[in-house]
Amino acid sequence: MPRQSYFDRYPPFPKNEPIADLPRLSCAKLVAEDSEEVKLLFEISKACGFFLLDFSDIPDYDSLIKDVESAFELNRAWHDLGLEQKKQYVLSAGNVGYKPMGFFPDSAEGRDLTELTSLSRSHILGVTESTIPPFFNECDTTLKRLVERLHSVALMLLSRLDSYLDLPSGLLESFHTLSEPSDSVLRFVHNPPQDVPDKHTSLGGHTDNGSITILFNVIGGLQILPPGAKDDNGNWRLVQPVPGCAIINIGDSLTQWTGGVLRSNLHRVAYAPGQQSTCERYSFGYFLKPTATTSMRRLEVGDVIPKDVTGEDQQFNDLAYHDWHKRKTKALLQGRSDPHKATA
């Protein structure tokens, strides 16, 4: 998402790497409800669930990109602090707080090499009592503005999907109100440089358990597994960050509500490619999740979402999102990517 000048601070993305061919959608066209762009959004969300969203054509682009670049600098400053200072912001059951490297298992290569800090949206906006470290106090206005902007973008995407899913207008949006407690987070991520002999996956394969993820990267490392491909290292494809664009992916809750019509795709964080692997890698994202009490029952409305004729989803009929979220967290800690296989 940052400007080209920000990308120029780092070695270029190498040209000989296997790259995921992600479509680029125009944010301005989607806001304007351009019929072809909305149709493409739906088709992509069904096929692979990952795409680039180009913000460069929106009216307030300069203001938004300034906040995004400020968030990158904030990420760097926070993760440059000593480990003991960061560990005081303890990771909670709701995945809010600081996670040091080595917290999650990676079934193939040992523990993860990802350091991340998740700030609760409810804390940032004052919906619930905040536990955010004082370090972030000086930039609370920027964080609030950024969360509100990214939230509005995510809701816009959900509203465009309503019609193609044959859902009542505004239904998906109604599951994500700003004024109610939510597990939604603004997440700052740091990966250290990796020496060639020791390179391995920084964060193992997983899907996101929310609804929409809006991710901002400058250095490569994010990989997706193409739909239908076997989970072998040779099949994973790098996502190349693009100036002015965010990386968007569909999360598990949309897959559950739509009975699998929309795809939450497997992805992971590998080592950065080429000379970029010598750099500290920083990224951040807004992870939109339903309000805590939202039901995970399949939306058996209209003619697009299939009915649950086998009854396999009955276990989720009385399950609220907050409990769904805890299942996924437990699955990750057990080294699994499927939240439904985690024991209650």
Side-chain angles (χ1 to χ4, degrees):
M1 170 68 179
R3 286 168 282 214
Q4 182 64 52
S5 59
Y6 205 97
F7 277 68
D8 291 342
R9 301 179 185 182
Y10 301 95
F13 193 96
K15 297 181 179 180
N16 59 345
E17 294 287 345
I19 297 174
D21 184 20
L22 296 187
R24 185 190 300 197
L25 298 183
S26 161
C27 186
K29 287 184 178 180
L30 288 172
V31 169
E33 301 186 60
D34 179 271
S35 59
E36 290 301 314
E37 206 75 358
V38 175
K39 180 181 179 181
L40 185 56
L41 167 66
F42 180 61
E43 295 301 326
I44 294 167
S45 299
K46 288 194 302 178
C48 79
F50 266 85
F51 59 92
L52 299 174
L53 186 63
D54 190 345
F55 286 96
S56 64
D57 53 1
I58 63 173
D60 60 345
Y61 172 70
D62 288 338
S63 175
L64 175 60
I65 208 165
K66 181 179 179 181
D67 284 345
V68 168
E69 292 179 353
S70 294
F72 269 95
E73 296 306 314
L74 180 65
N75 186 2
R76 181 191 303 275
W78 164 255
H79 283 116
D80 279 350
L81 297 177
L83 181 61
E84 291 305 313
Q85 186 172 351
K86 289 178 289 190
K87 286 174 67 175
Q88 293 178 23
Y89 187 36
V90 180
L91 190 69
S92 71
N95 257 0
V96 170
Y98 171 72
K99 183 204 80 65
M101 287 183 281
F103 190 80
F104 293 133
D106 182 292
S107 58
E109 298 162 321
R111 310 299 291 189
D112 72 271
L113 291 178
T114 295
E115 181 182 31
L116 60 83
T117 303
S118 300
L119 305 184
S120 164
R121 186 193 76 197
S122 295
H123 292 174
I124 292 173
L125 299 182
V127 175
T128 56
E129 185 176 356
S130 176
T131 60
I132 294 175
F135 173 88
F136 295 96
N137 287 349
E138 291 185 4
C139 53
D140 60 346
T141 300
T142 299
L143 292 177
K144 289 178 182 177
R145 185 170 59 240
L146 188 58
V147 163
E148 289 171 348
R149 283 175 161 178
L150 298 181
H151 185 81
S152 68
V153 170
L155 291 192
M156 181 272 294
L157 296 174
L158 291 177
S159 70
R160 301 301 177 262
L161 291 170
D162 273 338
S163 60
Y164 273 91
L165 289 166
D166 200 18
L167 295 174
S169 178
L171 181 61
L172 292 177
E173 288 183 77
S174 70
F175 298 155
H176 304 84
T177 56
L178 275 176
S179 59
E180 296 183 49
S182 166
D183 291 315
S184 299
V185 295
L186 192 64
R187 179 168 294 158
F188 298 105
V189 182
H190 167 239
N191 303 107
Q194 294 199 44
D195 295 330
V196 173
D198 300 322
K199 286 181 178 178
H200 74 270
T201 303
S202 296
L203 187 63
H206 63 283
T207 55
D208 291 346
N209 67 338
S211 300
I212 296 282
T213 298
I214 303 177
L215 184 66
F216 300 96
N217 281 345
V218 173
I219 290 179
L222 176 67
Q223 293 182 324
I224 66 172
L225 187 68
K230 187 178 179 181
D231 186 3
D232 289 334
N233 279 334
N235 289 333
W236 288 84
R237 294 292 180 264
L238 282 162
V239 175
Q240 181 173 0
V242 176
C245 295
I247 301 165
I248 311 293
N249 66 277
I250 299 297
D252 293 340
S253 62
L254 287 179
T255 300
Q256 166 59 25
W257 286 327
T258 64
V261 173
L262 301 186
R263 181 178 180 84
S264 179
N265 201 79
L266 199 64
H267 55 283
R268 69 182 187 182
V269 180
Y271 51 85
Q275 289 300 309
Q276 291 187 346
S277 66
T278 64
C279 302
E280 303 283 343
R281 179 181 181 274
Y282 297 95
S283 61
F284 81 93
Y286 178 59
F287 291 72
L288 175 70
K289 303 178 184 184
T291 53
T293 59
T294 301
S295 171
M296 296 311 299
R297 180 189 297 266
R298 186 185 298 202
L299 300 174
E300 295 183 327
V301 178
D303 297 324
V304 176
I305 298 174
K307 309 303 180 191
D308 181 21
V309 295
T310 65
E312 63 177 311
D313 280 357
Q314 287 185 6
Q315 60 177 313
F316 307 121
N317 285 352
D318 299 317
L319 191 66
Y321 177 76
H322 184 69
D323 296 317
W324 164 281
H325 178 80
K326 288 193 292 185
R327 282 194 182 194
K328 178 63 179 283
T329 302
K330 188 171 184 178
L332 286 173
L333 290 172
Q334 294 170 344
R336 303 171 184 163
S337 61
D338 186 347
H340 313 323
K341 292 181 181 178
T343 55

